[in-house]
Amino acid sequence: MAQAAGGTSATYREVLGATGALLPVLSFFGRLPVAVIQFGSVLLITRTSGSLATGGTVACALALGQVAMGPVVGRLADRRGQRSVVLCCSLLNALAITCYTLGALAGLPTPLLVALGVLAGATVPGIGPLARARG
């Protein structure tokens, strides 16, 4: 294993002892939406708009929302605690994804879908970095 801070060797067993055996499983499930949301977005928008370019554009907007707000979510988690930030972001993200999906199904114009994509991406809770910070 890699050397931990202070020159001591941190084993996986030590990490699990500090965080609990359930953390890696929950972290995996928490990361799935982040991993598939952009691909799912391309498929949804391409299917509903009939344009791969529109699907890619909206998925890119979603990714940019994630990238732009990731550090803000992390800072909020540092200041307010992870639980409250993750719960709040999760609720906001569920609402944003619902609006995004309904907008795609309703055939909204591309600029509105881009705005909904940014909003959906901006509210994704960064489970990966937050889980690593707990270790």
Side-chain angles (χ1 to χ4, degrees):
M1 294 254 43
Q3 291 286 327
T8 62
S9 177
T11 66
Y12 191 65
R13 187 180 317 238
E14 291 170 357
V15 171
L16 288 178
T19 62
L22 196 54
L23 181 65
V25 175
L26 294 176
S27 179
F28 171 77
F29 285 118
R31 291 174 188 186
L32 278 178
V34 174
V36 299
I37 192 170
Q38 292 161 8
F39 182 64
S41 175
V42 170
L43 294 176
L44 173 67
I45 302 301
T46 298
R47 175 75 173 174
T48 58
S49 71
S51 168
L52 183 57
T54 301
T57 300
V58 175
C60 179
L62 192 145
L64 290 174
Q66 282 180 291
V67 169
M69 291 303 291
V72 175
V73 171
R75 180 170 287 185
L76 282 172
D78 287 345
R79 291 189 178 168
R80 304 271 187 213
Q82 288 188 6
R83 178 173 292 183
S84 61
V85 171
V86 168
L87 288 174
C88 182
C89 282
S90 296
L91 291 173
L92 289 173
N93 188 249
L95 180 62
I97 292 293
T98 300
C99 291
Y100 177 78
T101 303
L102 292 174
L105 294 173
L108 290 180
T110 302
L112 289 176
L113 291 173
V114 167
L116 288 172
V118 170
L119 181 63
T123 57
V124 170
I127 300 300
L130 293 176
R132 283 190 296 276
R134 293 182 71 86

